[in-house]
Amino acid sequence: MNFELLKRLSQLLATSFLFLFTSFAQEVEKKDFEITSHKVRIQLFPSSQEIICSDTVTVRILNRKAESIEFGLAPFFKLKEVWLNGEDADYERTKGEVKVEDIPDTVFDVVFDYEARMNFRTEYSNLGSERAVLRDEEILPRGNRNVKNARFTIEVPSDWQAVAPGKLMSQDSVGGVNVFVWELNQPVPMLGWICAGKFKQEKKEGSVAPISTFLFEEDSAHAARILSLTDSVLKYYNRIFSPYRFPKLSIVEVENWVAGKAVLAIATPSMILVKKLAFETEDEFNKYPMILPHEVAHQWWPITVFIEDKDAAFLSEGMCEYSARLFSESCGKMTVRDSLVNHPLLRSLITRSLKGLDIPLQQRADLRAMPTHYLKASFVHNMLRNLLGDSLFVEMLHQYAKRFSEKTVTMEEFQNLVEELSGKKFDWFFEQWVKGKGIPRMKIYNAKATQKENKWQTKGRVRIVGYDKFTTFVDVGIETPSETVKTRVWLGADSGGNYKNDVGFETLTNEKPTFARLDPNGDVLKFRKLPVRLGDLREPSDGVMIVGTLSNTEYLMQRAQHDSTEMDIAGWSFTIKADTAISLADLQNDRVFLYGKPNENSVVAEQMQKFPHQFNGDSIVINHEATFDSSLTFIQAIENPYIVNGIMCWIAPLSHKAEPELMPYDHSWILVRGKEEIVSGTWEVKDEEVVVEVK
């Protein structure tokens, strides 16, 4: 079984990360100075893996009493010279810092000359024979930044190109070397990446700004579609948010190792880095057409409206995820990535909350390890939209982009804007949904209808279950044979501070109602019963693989070992055990994988009755029909009967000749031949707390 795609499932939704933290020495906490400009010259020598840099850093002193200042500089660089205002500087180099003494008390330039042989790769940077990907935090001197402008002069081999933030000012070929000069003249929260190498470039003038693609030769056929989609997205955001402020937008393809496995793309000022996986994956969710609207939105949030790190989940990733949904709505083409109630990560989000692993949206965290946080933040933006109304919500985004352009905004300022435009207080909303954690559990009950002249009157109640206090709206949908009539109720604290966790509702319909449904459009983040799907394995976890020893032992062990190796790369941790060595504790694992048919695996034989689909000999029985084909594999996943919210997945090749591909199928069970889906289905789940029959 090939986990080449499953090993990357943890990338789902973690499509971008702005890297507001450093990867080497900790930033100096003292803010005695700020860097306002970089003028860097970078020479790249791929054959020897050498990089030579000279950076003129403009510094503004914030603490006039400071006698020295400290810059960060990656320890792999050899520092050759440091000049202060044109003269040799008095400096001290430690492993990851450069301390400059006898500094002026105003604005001055510090020039750093340094070099390295990059015969290694960090998580974010690499200089290879075909391409270079260089992250500014690892390549340039670091310090408290308030960058207003930057210039990048990049020298590369004659068959290479180089792209950096800003506008291309010049491109020359001198003595077998290409020299590119890029200049950025707008304040930015970060500089991001410099990319160079052998690319095939395509350009489009664009409706808003010039757009370029820098793709690998084998993926260059995608350029036209990328240019068209990016132009449409840029045009939409330019209209509803604020004018795009950069002179160009470049889409650059990078290798899959860049920034770790949980990142699919990276947004930086006037650039978007997209991994090769987005061009080759068969998972629709992670293809570049799905992720580009999110990435383009980063040019506004937070590359135009700056934020603090702790607000990244809500004011960056969640904002971009919901901006992408707005774009899809405008096109009339909603995708699975825009879905909330049907989102592939919703079950994982609910499970995380049930286990007490949920954290507030306003909290500094490495979001690469928390793809469900993107969904949660998008859900909360959707709830805010429901409270404001469509037009006011869009106006709020416009005012937010306009008022806070090139400024660092706080969550309090965002809330104040919401309150100003709506004329209502939203303390309860932000305290609960942004600064708090957990999600409510609600139920609808006691729904009864009586006929009143030519109408039907339905009354019932809605309750917040449990001891946690939440304040929220929720719609109740009364279903009749021909329509659904909705009414909105409020639970929780009222304006007087009184708390009501149980409220009534009343609705009139023209026909006799059949069912009452809580939150029919799925607008509120709350607990709900969802079927187990194979796509629920997107989040890495610990697990146990149980291999059959009754027959085909070597083949099944090979499958388990191969899967374990591939999934280890994605962050999973597995223990592989024979079916003869299994205890109850093994079955009580969060993630249990069973390998083999009942006549091959004794644990499967014991657990088979818990699965909806079972075997008859070597044949799988689906819809009362037995199917056998030596090239097929049957895979199904259920809730682990031994542990709440766990998953038990059964992988059953019908013979050792099968060559299955485990993919993030949006199904509970599937019969496959390699990657080809033969037949599939999803378990039916009844949620009595959400839907009740009207009596």
Side-chain angles (χ1 to χ4, degrees):
M1 188 172 298
N2 188 343
F3 273 82
E4 181 61 30
L5 294 167
L6 183 62
K7 72 181 180 181
R8 303 185 181 100
L9 293 180
S10 62
Q11 296 163 343
L12 179 63
L13 206 58
T15 57
S16 65
F17 198 74
L18 296 179
F19 298 99
L20 303 179
F21 55 88
T22 63
S23 53
F24 283 98
Q26 197 83 18
E27 287 291 356
V28 179
E29 290 296 326
K30 295 187 298 182
K31 295 187 177 181
D32 291 336
F33 73 101
E34 64 181 13
I35 296 173
T36 62
S37 174
H38 286 273
K39 296 180 179 65
V40 59
R41 187 177 195 91
I42 300 175
Q43 297 172 278
L44 300 179
F45 302 92
S47 59
S48 59
Q49 294 182 295
E50 290 181 286
I51 176 172
I52 300 176
C53 301
S54 177
D55 190 6
T56 300
V57 178
T58 301
V59 172
R60 186 169 76 91
I61 292 297
L62 302 177
N63 178 12
R64 293 181 179 273
K65 296 182 180 180
E67 297 180 353
S68 64
I69 54 177
E70 296 178 356
F71 296 87
L73 185 65
F76 58 76
F77 278 114
K78 176 184 177 182
L79 184 60
K80 298 165 59 181
E81 298 284 350
V82 180
W83 287 277
L84 178 61
N85 278 343
E87 299 182 358
D88 287 344
D90 183 7
Y91 71 92
E92 178 184 352
R93 174 74 191 272
T94 58
K95 184 176 181 181
E97 295 180 350
V98 180
K99 184 177 182 180
V100 180
E101 306 278 0
D102 300 326
I103 58 170
D105 62 359
T106 54
V107 177
F108 54 91
D109 287 341
V110 182
V111 180
F112 297 85
D113 275 0
Y114 51 103
E115 62 185 18
R117 186 179 179 203
M118 292 189 67
N119 56 351
F120 57 89
R121 187 177 78 194
T122 75
E123 189 176 1
Y124 312 113
S125 301
N126 182 56
L127 172 56
S129 60
E130 295 290 315
R131 280 173 284 274
V133 180
L134 306 173
R135 184 186 167 203
D136 72 313
E137 291 284 356
E138 296 183 339
I139 302 301
L140 306 182
R142 301 187 309 277
N144 178 39
R145 277 183 174 168
N146 186 13
V147 175
K148 308 293 185 182
N149 54 73
R151 182 189 302 143
F152 307 90
T153 302
I154 309 165
E155 297 183 14
V156 295
S158 59
D159 57 347
W160 277 35
Q161 298 182 71
V163 58
K167 181 179 181 179
L168 181 62
M169 305 302 293
S170 65
Q171 176 182 344
D172 297 302
S173 295
V174 181
V177 174
N178 282 344
V179 181
F180 297 83
V181 179
W182 293 87
E183 194 166 287
L184 180 68
N185 290 313
Q186 293 98 347
V188 289
M190 84 291 287
L191 292 174
W193 266 261
I194 297 166
C195 298
K198 298 177 181 180
F199 297 106
K200 185 166 183 180
Q201 183 183 9
E202 298 289 344
K203 301 179 182 179
K204 178 181 177 68
E205 279 307 307
S207 306
V208 174
I211 306 169
S212 298
T213 57
F214 295 82
L215 305 180
F216 303 166
E217 178 69 32
E218 63 269 24
D219 297 319
S220 59
H222 296 281
R225 187 178 182 187
I226 292 175
L227 292 170
S228 177
L229 174 59
T230 303
D231 185 38
S232 297
V233 177
L234 202 59
K235 183 178 179 180
Y236 176 73
Y237 294 158
N238 184 79
R239 177 171 60 84
I240 68 167
F241 299 156
S242 64
Y244 180 67
R245 70 187 184 106
F246 296 111
K248 66 95 166 79
L249 183 59
S250 301
I251 314 298
V252 185
E253 184 176 0
V254 296
E255 283 90 351
N256 291 330
W257 61 264
V258 178
K261 306 173 188 67
V263 174
L264 195 57
I266 303 165
T268 67
S270 76
M271 291 175 60
I272 296 172
L273 280 56
V274 180
K275 289 188 175 180
K276 185 174 178 59
L277 174 63
F279 298 92
E280 62 186 7
T281 181
E282 296 185 45
D283 180 4
E284 289 292 330
F285 200 98
N286 282 336
K287 288 185 177 181
Y288 68 82
M290 294 287 188
I291 67 174
L292 274 175
H294 175 112
E295 300 308 320
V296 176
H298 273 305
Q299 299 301 318
W300 281 265
W301 338 115
I303 295 177
T304 291
V305 179
F306 312 153
I307 61 168
E308 300 289 345
D309 292 3
K310 65 181 180 180
D311 296 326
F314 188 67
L315 293 182
S316 175
E317 300 303 345
M319 185 84 86
C320 291
E321 199 71 9
Y322 205 75
S323 296
R325 176 188 169 104
L326 292 174
F327 169 74
S328 296
E329 283 184 17
S330 73
C331 301
K333 297 179 180 179
M334 296 288 284
T335 69
V336 65
R337 198 172 188 89
D338 305 309
S339 169
L340 294 174
V341 69
N342 294 316
H343 198 285
L345 277 181
L346 181 55
R347 192 173 189 278
S348 294
L349 173 58
I350 292 172
T351 299
R352 179 181 290 274
S353 186
L354 281 169
K355 292 180 177 180
L357 301 177
D358 188 28
I359 65 172
L361 290 175
Q362 190 181 41
Q363 179 172 311
R364 179 168 177 153
D366 186 349
L367 298 180
R368 293 178 297 173
M370 294 190 65
T372 55
H373 234 40
Y374 291 57
L375 173 58
K376 181 179 180 180
S378 185
F379 235 121
V380 175
H381 278 288
N382 185 67
M383 293 166 66
L384 181 60
R385 175 185 177 182
N386 265 270
L387 293 170
L388 295 178
D390 291 353
S391 60
L392 189 57
F393 181 77
V394 173
E395 175 63 17
M396 181 273 294
L397 295 178
H398 171 68
Q399 290 295 330
Y400 178 62
K402 179 181 178 181
R403 296 187 192 186
F404 298 105
S405 178
E406 301 179 2
K407 300 176 183 177
T408 299
V409 65
T410 65
M411 189 69 72
E412 289 69 28
E413 288 171 314
F414 180 83
Q415 178 182 331
N416 290 340
L417 175 62
V418 171
E419 293 178 341
E420 174 194 330
L421 295 178
S422 66
K424 299 177 181 178
K425 299 298 291 183
F426 275 81
D427 286 343
W428 65 272
F429 183 86
F430 286 89
E431 286 294 330
Q432 176 178 289
W433 293 109
V434 178
K435 301 177 184 180
K437 61 181 182 179
I439 58 178
R441 180 175 180 178
M442 292 182 276
K443 66 177 294 184
I444 186 171
Y445 69 102
N446 202 27
K448 298 179 180 179
T450 57
Q451 191 167 14
K452 300 287 186 180
E453 297 180 353
N454 60 341
K455 298 281 188 178
W456 286 86
Q457 182 184 60
T458 303
K459 293 183 178 182
R461 302 196 70 81
V462 176
R463 173 185 297 169
I464 293 180
V465 181
Y467 297 103
D468 293 330
K469 291 186 176 182
F470 288 90
T471 298
T472 184
F473 71 90
V474 66
D475 291 332
V476 173
I478 304 301
E479 300 177 3
T480 73
S482 60
E483 64 177 345
T484 297
V485 178
K486 293 189 295 183
T487 185
R488 178 162 292 185
V489 300
W490 283 85
L491 298 106
D494 60 21
S495 58
N498 300 311
Y499 185 78
K500 297 180 180 179
N501 70 339
D502 193 310
V503 299
F505 65 85
E506 181 178 321
T507 307
L508 290 176
T509 57
N510 294 319
E511 300 174 278
K512 184 177 180 180
T514 53
F515 292 96
R517 187 180 300 272
L518 193 64
D519 192 24
N521 293 336
D523 290 322
V524 177
L525 179 57
K526 65 180 189 304
F527 288 114
R528 64 187 76 214
K529 293 181 181 178
L530 296 170
V532 176
R533 292 183 171 91
L534 293 166
D536 292 339
L537 300 174
R538 294 176 186 272
E539 274 201 293
S541 180
D542 296 334
V544 59
M545 293 177 168
I546 302 174
V547 177
T549 60
L550 301 178
S551 179
N552 289 323
T553 304
E554 183 178 352
Y555 166 73
L556 295 174
M557 180 60 74
Q558 289 175 348
R559 299 270 55 82
Q561 289 174 339
H562 180 265
D563 296 350
S564 175
T565 300
E566 296 297 318
M567 295 175 74
D568 278 345
I569 298 173
W572 286 77
S573 177
F574 282 107
T575 301
I576 302 177
K577 290 191 171 185
D579 57 351
T580 54
I582 296 302
S583 66
L584 178 61
D586 295 314
L587 296 176
Q588 291 173 334
N589 199 284
D590 267 352
R591 302 290 185 262
V592 175
F593 293 77
L594 308 177
Y595 286 81
K597 301 189 295 292
N599 58 6
E600 297 171 327
N601 189 319
S602 61
V603 176
V604 167
E606 294 171 0
Q607 302 299 322
M608 185 174 68
Q609 296 301 321
K610 298 180 175 69
F611 286 86
H613 293 297
Q614 301 174 14
F615 273 78
N616 182 4
D618 284 332
S619 300
I620 182 67
V621 180
I622 303 174
N623 297 329
H624 307 293
E625 292 186 9
T627 299
F628 177 80
D629 182 322
S630 61
S631 65
L632 298 179
T633 297
F634 189 74
I635 308 168
Q636 55 184 325
I638 60 172
E639 287 204 28
N640 189 334
Y642 296 96
I643 184 169
V644 177
N645 300 311
I647 293 177
M648 182 176 284
C649 182
W650 178 11
I651 302 107
L654 270 61
S655 84
H656 65 276
K657 297 180 181 179
E659 298 179 353
E661 295 277 355
L662 186 56
M663 301 274 290
Y665 300 111
D666 192 28
H667 311 293
S668 303
W669 61 269
I670 190 166
L671 185 67
V672 292
R673 177 182 291 112
K675 298 179 182 179
E676 179 188 1
E677 176 181 332
I678 306 302
V679 63
S680 63
T682 300
W683 315 131
E684 182 179 352
V685 172
K686 292 184 179 180
D687 194 340
E688 297 84 0
E689 293 186 341
V690 173
V691 182
V692 296
E693 186 177 357
V694 178
K695 298 180 179 179

